[in-house]
Amino acid sequence: MSTANLLRLIFLAAIWGGSFLFMRIAAPVLGAPVLIEYRVLFAALFLAVMALVLKKPLALRQHWKHYLILGLVNSALPFLLFAFAARTLSVSLMAVLNASTPLWGTLIAAVWSRHPITPKVAIGLLLGACGVALLVGFDHVTSKPGAGIAIVAVLCASFMYGVASNYTSSAASAQGVEPFANAHGSMWASVLLVLPVVPFFPAPATPTIGVMGAVIALGVLCSGVAYLIYFRLIQDVGPSSALTVTFLSPLFGILWGVLFADETIHWYTVAGAGIVVVGTALVTGFRPKFGALRKARA
């Protein structure tokens, strides 16, 4: 991985870790449906501009059903669930729980494709579950009213990401659609899917400039720009190396929570995050290439 791609990877992890902070700021003011409608709309508009600049066709007539399915499982539903949870849970807790996404993806793949789970993967899944249990059992946030439902919402959102990853890699309707078109089309589909819910859940309060800034950052930065960086990484270094963002995002989520949300790092936060990350590494088969690094230095 070149220095430029390493910097892209770190920047992407910082952006996606920051998405939980922005939701924590905006969700109590706007509510989940209004916040997410803004988020996917800003992301869709940004990607539409980029599609014009990059001359990337959407092929809407050919792939509209695929965009609707992907928009539902990869954006609309998980975004709504995260925004709902952000009214209660801390930034760091959401970020670490979201790191369980590859664990869900592996379980779904085992059922979807009927692939047997190896002992190594089984140990990774067990470690991931233990890390989540440690966080849920010791974090004081879980004693707040509604915290239990919020934790289930985050885990369900991560589960939906696992469904989306398996759908895009296995479903016949997803084959032949380039990554940028997936991002662009699914965002417009999410705009249509979330819009009917908005009138039933109006914003509880009038947003301030700071709240709207968080909303714009969620849409343009955490969705639009992040997708461009992620797909560039997949193109340059492959999906396996790009997946290492999963290990870095919780670290940035914890960091942003401490710096900007007055959260405190406890031993169980670090331990739980570490256990989840190790479990994820086992499940995904990630192995850092220290030998290549030493050779490059030489």
Side-chain angles (χ1 to χ4, degrees), residues 20 64 77 94 110 115 151 193 209 252 281:
F20 301 103
W64 67 270
L77 276 180
M94 288 190 293
H115 289 163
I151 290 170
L193 291 167
I209 295 177
F252 280 101

Side-chain angles (χ1 to χ4, degrees), residues 56-71 164 167-187 231 234:
K56 296 281 189 179
L58 192 56
L60 188 59
R61 289 185 178 181
Q62 183 179 356
H63 301 299
W64 67 270
K65 290 182 180 179
H66 163 67
Y67 293 145
L68 281 174
I69 296 172
L70 188 61
Y167 166 74
T168 53
S169 62
S170 303
S173 59
Q175 305 305 312
V177 183
E178 70 164 337
F180 183 90
N182 276 332
H184 186 195
S186 65
M187 282 300 155
F231 294 139
I234 291 177

Side-chain angles (χ1 to χ4, degrees), residues 250-288:
L251 304 180
F252 280 101
I254 294 171
L255 177 62
W256 302 146
V258 172
L259 292 179
F260 301 107
D262 296 326
E263 296 178 4
T264 304
I265 298 179
H266 299 281
W267 68 267
Y268 49 78
T269 306
V270 177
I275 293 172
V276 170
V277 167
V278 171
T280 302
L282 289 173
V283 166
T284 58
F286 171 73
R287 290 186 301 172

Side-chain angles (χ1 to χ4, degrees), residues 12-13 15-20 23 39 74 78-79 81-82 85 89-105 128 131-132 135-136 150-162 243 245-251 253 272-273 276-277 280:
L12 178 61
I15 291 174
W16 275 344
S19 66
F20 301 103
M23 283 190 286
R39 175 178 184 174
N74 196 56
F79 285 179
L81 290 168
F82 276 123
L89 302 183
S90 64
V91 176
S92 56
L93 181 57
M94 288 190 293
V96 175
L97 291 177
N98 183 54
S100 66
T101 295
L103 309 181
W104 290 116
V132 171
L135 283 167
V136 173
I151 290 170
V152 172
V154 172
L155 293 176
C156 286
S158 301
F159 176 83
M160 295 308 301
Y161 284 146
L243 188 65
V245 70
T246 305
F247 310 115
L248 297 175
S249 293
L251 304 180
V276 170
V277 167
T280 302

